[in-house]
Amino acid sequence: MRAGPGRRLLRWLGGTALALAVLAGLGAWQAQRIYRAPGPLAAPAQLVIPRGGADRIAALLAEAGVIRDPRAFLAAAWWSQAAGPLRAAEFAFPPGASLAEVLDILRTARPVQRRLTIPEGLTARQILALVEAAEGLAGPVALPAEGSILPQTYAYQWGDDRVTLLRRAEVAMTAALTEAWAERAEGLPLASPREALILASIVERETAVAAERPRIAAVFLNRLKRNMPLQSDPTVAYAAAEGGVLERRLSRADLELDSPFNTYRNRGLPPAPIAAPGLASLRAVLRPAESDELYFVADGSGGHAFARTLEEHNRNVARWREVERKRAENPQPVAR
């Protein structure tokens, strides 16, 4: 009887032990090929990996198109388990990521860094709404104290606590205010960092022109020195909106509001900030421009016209009212 193919292979390989070794090597080679082969992902993807074990992760990765076969993923995860556990977080996966790359990402990669930007000049209510709407943050959070949050961009990861993020923003404001106060100019009519924070919030709401902030701060500081009312429209708007944002123009009745935030009726600073000032406004208040100006009014170009005397200021006001009159007569078409 002639020997079959299997017997001929065994004889050619020199025995059963050597045959098994070669066949095992072929299996290992195939496993390595699958392990290193490019995956099916066509475009970069971010995926939140939940807790719950390798089976759940494998199903999620397959559903998202990151891997082809959950069974191959589970086998590879078991085979490479000495490299470390699979983590629950949000990860970014590149196109064509192999099983080896996917597992390395799950074990060692830095989770996706999300960012939340808190703009300058927002009220506490606006900041709360922004934080509550931020995707990926978790947990309830209370309304922060007005002016306690430093406007800037904060990095966070999926699942981070909202309270923790706001606490970071409060610590950042405390540090920024402490540093700015330590570098303040001499002779300012401000008794504490708290007073500087209040005035900075007013400056923040008065202008969006960065170059104007030190000059506007100087006007208010000059008025404080002379015991003149600040007469700041944003403080009245804050009072009229009861701590919110006024969605209409100020009226004459608003200027008569009986509120400690009405700086037309009350001299000195209001009792609390009216918004969250940024670093530039804090520094402007504590290192103001050298100026003896006491007045400013909008100039129609997005900035302000400044004056030292009431007569000069009244002329600037008249020019501003003429600008408003012409705008009312010739409204700009709404872009569509």
Side-chain angles (χ1 to χ4, degrees), residues 220-235:
F220 286 134
L221 291 165
N222 290 338
R223 293 178 78 92
L224 287 173
K225 289 177 182 178
R226 291 164 174 77
N227 197 30
M228 297 172 65
L230 296 183
Q231 295 183 325
S232 169
D233 288 357
T235 65

